[in-house]
Amino acid sequence: MELTSKQRAQLRGLANSLTPIVHIGKEGITEAVVKQTDEALEARELIKCRVLESALLTAREACDELAQRTRSEGVQAIGSKFVLYRQSHNKEKKNKIELVKDKKKPAAR
């Protein structure tokens, strides 16, 4: 799912109050980090992650790799933190994030 600029802005706003729940250390992105991220996305849809100072990769690099490995979307990477989003397909999930829809502009005549 490719996010639109409006959807990214909406998710950035929701992520402001989040506390990082996935921390990436000097070992980088291990299978345990991927599993923890996957479980967090399944439970919450939108998560904030943090790259610790001892890590040998940037937040952007970590965001891109984790997004690919967890089939999620990188929403934003600033400083040592980044935000990931993955839509839940569980229809009974409470607190599901409803993304804004872009209205299509009428075709020019």
Side-chain angles (χ1 to χ4, degrees):
M1 167 186 186
E2 184 70 29
L3 296 172
T4 67
S5 59
K6 285 185 180 182
Q7 291 169 333
R8 285 185 192 282
Q10 175 191 6
L11 292 170
R12 282 194 304 268
L14 293 171
N16 282 337
S17 62
L18 296 179
T19 301
I21 58 173
V22 175
H23 300 276
I24 300 165
K26 63 183 175 184
E27 280 84 39
I29 299 176
T30 62
E31 287 304 316
V33 169
V34 173
K35 182 179 179 189
Q36 179 186 14
T37 303
D38 197 49
E39 289 171 355
L41 285 165
E42 190 62 35
R44 295 175 182 84
E45 291 186 313
L46 184 69
I47 63 169
K48 188 180 282 185
C49 307
R50 180 170 175 241
V51 177
L52 303 176
E53 291 178 17
S54 62
L56 299 175
L57 69 165
T58 67
R60 171 53 55 200
E61 292 167 335
C63 180
D64 291 345
E65 183 175 341
L66 269 178
Q68 179 185 22
R69 292 179 71 180
T70 60
R71 294 187 179 103
S72 61
E73 289 286 329
V75 174
Q76 155 183 51
I78 296 178
S80 64
K81 297 180 179 114
F82 62 96
V83 178
L84 295 174
Y85 169 76
R86 184 175 69 201
Q87 184 177 31
S88 174
H89 297 290
N90 181 352
K91 295 180 193 285
E92 296 178 21
K93 179 175 176 51
K94 294 180 181 179
N95 301 324
K96 195 170 164 92
I97 297 173
E98 293 294 326
L99 293 176
V100 294
K101 303 241 190 268
D102 277 341
K103 294 179 181 172
K104 295 193 179 209
K105 295 179 182 177
R109 293 181 185 218

